[in-house]
Amino acid sequence: MESISYKEAAAVFQLLSHPVRLHILDELRRGEACVCHLQTILQRPQAYVSQHLRVLRAAAVVEGQRNGLNIYYHIVDDRVLRLLAELLGPAQDARSVPICPCPSCAGD
Amino acid sequence: MESISYKEAAAVFQLLSHPVRLHILDELRRGEACVCHLQTILQRPQAYVSQHLRVLRAAAVVEGQRNGLNIYYHIVDDRVLRLLAELLGPAQDARSVPICPCPSCAGD
DNA sequence: ATATTTCATGCAGTGCGATGAATATAGTGT
DNA sequence: ACACTATATTCATCGCACTGCATGAAATAT
């Protein structure tokens, strides 16, 4: 692996230096989730969640794929997964209960 | 082992989210160093290095012990060591050449 | 085409971190 | 006591990230 500069490494840590982004990423570790999931779990306004998702998207840490009206996000950066595991511990089990009115929660 | 909150975890990442602090910590991974070492290596004003050391000290990531005029710093937080290793790779070998006019560099 | 739902974007206010300059403190030697 | 060196602290400025609010864009349904 090519060595990473301090500036680049700092940028990665910077992404993880916000509690809301950490919460989002920790949820995404459990499996992909649409914005309405995250909105419900975080108890934050949709626009607010979306802003943080944009930061993570711009840094190529997460990716979203559209499915009808909903966009499902997932983590695509392995370094970030390892850093999360190092500090937060292993990921929780996948969700099983519906948490929002999206099709996959409705069992539709 | 106790689980860490997102806020606390974010604070740890925050400490690592600055290139100068990362450089300082990466140097300290190689062994303890006095401020004049760091000043020489980073090519930054003394007060600037000292400011960042204060941040790391306040967060209990580093500790300094006085030896005459000089204060030698070292890392005391294992989580930080693991996070650095995860993103920067293993620590470099210990320094061998003198880099500043402090007693230990002068071989005094 | 209109309406509804889901998500994204633009903009503005505010606070905090980063950096520099000047000054203070602690230790050493005379 | 005085001077000198190493490090810390205080203060002030500046830019950027955070956050809220309002609006825009994409997909779906009637």
Side-chain angles (χ1 to χ4, degrees):
Chain A
M1 300 308 287
E2 68 298 333
S3 83
I4 188 175
S5 73
Y6 296 125
K7 196 172 165 187
E8 291 165 334
V12 173
F13 285 124
Q14 166 94 19
L15 292 171
L16 304 178
S17 70
H18 194 289
V20 168
R21 284 197 292 271
L22 277 183
H23 199 166
I24 290 175
L25 290 170
D26 196 26
E27 277 303 320
L28 293 183
R29 285 205 295 168
R30 307 176 64 180
E32 65 175 10
C34 61
V35 179
C36 61
H37 277 69
L38 300 172
Q39 187 179 342
T40 302
I41 293 169
L42 301 184
Q43 295 279 74
R44 298 281 193 160
Q46 173 269 322
Y48 185 62
V49 174
S50 212
Q51 298 262 20
H52 284 295
L53 282 173
R54 172 163 62 161
V55 173
L56 296 173
R57 221 182 325 119
V61 168
V62 303
E63 270 180 14
Q65 52 193 27
R66 182 147 227 146
N67 186 344
L69 278 181
N70 304 284
I71 299 183
Y72 289 82
Y73 278 93
H74 59 104
I75 299 180
V76 292
D77 188 323
D78 286 343
R79 297 172 309 176
V80 166
L81 282 175
R82 289 196 299 271
L83 291 172
L84 290 177
E86 190 63 62
L87 207 46
L88 299 180
Q92 299 295 109
D93 291 344
R95 284 173 295 269
S96 57
V97 293
I99 55 178
C100 81
C102 81
S104 61
C105 276
D108 206 17
Chain B
M1 300 307 292
E2 71 297 338
S3 86
I4 187 174
S5 74
Y6 296 125
K7 197 172 163 188
E8 291 165 333
V12 174
F13 285 125
Q14 166 94 13
L15 293 171
L16 305 178
S17 70
H18 194 289
V20 167
R21 284 197 292 270
L22 278 184
H23 198 166
I24 290 175
L25 290 170
D26 196 24
E27 277 302 320
L28 292 183
R29 285 204 296 168
R30 307 176 64 181
E32 66 176 8
C34 60
V35 180
C36 60
H37 277 69
L38 300 171
Q39 187 179 340
T40 302
I41 293 169
L42 301 184
Q43 295 279 72
R44 298 282 193 161
Q46 173 269 323
Y48 184 60
V49 174
S50 211
Q51 300 250 29
H52 285 295
L53 282 172
R54 169 163 67 162
V55 173
L56 296 173
R57 220 182 325 122
V61 168
V62 303
E63 270 180 12
Q65 53 194 28
R66 181 146 228 147
N67 187 345
L69 279 182
N70 303 284
I71 299 182
Y72 289 82
Y73 279 94
H74 61 280
I75 300 181
V76 293
D77 187 323
D78 285 345
R79 296 172 311 177
V80 166
L81 282 176
R82 289 196 298 272
L83 291 173
L84 290 177
E86 190 62 64
L87 207 46
L88 299 180
Q92 298 296 110
D93 290 342
R95 283 173 294 272
S96 56
V97 292
I99 55 179
C100 81
C102 82
S104 62
C105 277
D108 208 17

